[in-house]
Amino acid sequence: NAGVTQTPKFQVLKTGQSMTLQCAQDMNHEYMSWYRQDPGMGLRLIHYSVGAGITDQGEVPNGYNVSRSTTEDFPLRLLSAAPSQTSVYFCASSYGGDFAKNIQYFGAGTRLSVL
Amino acid sequence: AQSVTQLDSQVPVFEEAPVELRCNYSSSVSVYLFWYVQYPNQGLQLLLKYLSGSTLVKGINGFEAEFNKSQTSFHLRKPSVHISDTAEYFCAVSDPFSGGYNKLIFGAGTRLAVHP
């Protein structure tokens, strides 16, 4: 009964380093998304995918790359980390992209600090 | 573009007291509205949603919300809170007619602290 699994839970990076935040779901959901959560700003959509091989930008995509080679996985890549990317990152998935019909399930989050 | 304003960043309340968390959204012809809850060190969980029909929506854990189109509000209420309701609550909106039905816009969140 795993649901949406994010790894790692915590990460500290130096400015300029790269890393990949992993997200996997075992519910056969077509729609997956990445959000960042910053104090006083709620959650903001970074990128999303409506199915394998299809991705699109959200509200704050700069500095992040994504790909979706399988239905299960949706990794988020930081190519050159910056202090402004210090945040808590959440991955979410749903059966479809219409949130009127489909509930989004969230992972527990990855807390990232960039020094 | 849609925006969501949660009017209180923090709401302290005593156990068994009623609570209201306020949410206003920017005007649109039609929107879908949601409340999510985030318990400490966890992801978000859907509490309730408004799509159409009755303006009073009931959710999990005894919460309910009322949609008010004229005031563009979607306030969350619970008649008697428990310690376990301590969490952060997020209001979110999705505009089904702007091509953004698969994008949620979140408010900044309201931290509910229930004291014994």
Side-chain angles (χ1 to χ4, degrees), chain B:
Chain B
Q2 281 287 351
S3 65
V4 178
T5 302
Q6 291 184 240
L7 297 164
D8 306 292
S9 59
Q10 296 186 62
V11 174
V13 64
F14 287 109
E15 195 173 20
E16 298 184 6
V19 70
E20 178 179 80
L21 307 183
R22 298 180 293 168
C23 173
N24 286 97
Y25 61 95
S26 56
S27 179
S28 177
V29 176
S30 179
V31 294
Y32 298 149
L33 294 156
F34 305 82
W35 275 99
Y36 283 82
V37 60
Q38 183 182 29
Y39 297 106
N41 300 313
Q42 295 185 27
L44 276 69
Q45 178 183 357
L46 181 67
L47 266 181
L48 49 79
K49 60 181 177 181
Y50 171 80
L51 309 178
S52 64
S54 173
T55 57
L56 184 63
V57 180
K58 293 190 182 299
I60 62 171
N61 301 339
F63 284 93
E64 63 182 30
E66 185 157 18
F67 169 62
N68 187 320
K69 186 174 182 178
S70 63
Q71 300 198 4
T72 62
S73 68
F74 191 53
H75 300 333
L76 181 71
R77 302 185 183 103
K78 186 169 183 178
S80 176
V81 294
H82 302 288
I83 297 287
S84 59
D85 292 322
T86 294
E88 187 143 20
Y89 292 79
F90 293 93
C91 182
V93 64
S94 173
D95 186 342
F97 295 104
S98 70
Y101 67 88
N102 57 2
K103 298 178 184 177
L104 288 179
I105 305 299
F106 285 85
T110 297
R111 189 172 298 276
L112 175 65
V114 181
H115 301 284

Side-chain angles (χ1 to χ4, degrees), chain A residues 3 12 14-15 23 31 53 60 66 71 74 76 90 95 99-100 105 108 110 113:
Chain A
V12 178
K14 294 181 180 178
T15 298
C23 175
Y31 184 90
V60 288
V66 293
T71 299
F74 190 44
L76 179 71
F90 287 99
Y95 183 72
F99 301 140
Y105 294 87
T110 294
S113 293

Side-chain angles (χ1 to χ4, degrees), chain A residues 24-44:
Chain A
Q25 52 89 10
D26 61 358
M27 297 175 280
N28 201 30
H29 284 171
E30 289 296 322
Y31 184 90
M32 297 184 74
S33 55
W34 277 103
Y35 294 88
R36 59 177 290 173
Q37 182 182 26
D38 301 295
M41 300 188 74
L43 276 73
R44 291 180 291 169

Side-chain angles (χ1 to χ4, degrees), chain A residues 104-115:
Chain A
Q104 275 206 99
Y105 294 87
F106 285 79
T110 294
R111 190 174 297 272
L112 176 68
S113 293
V114 183
L115 307 177

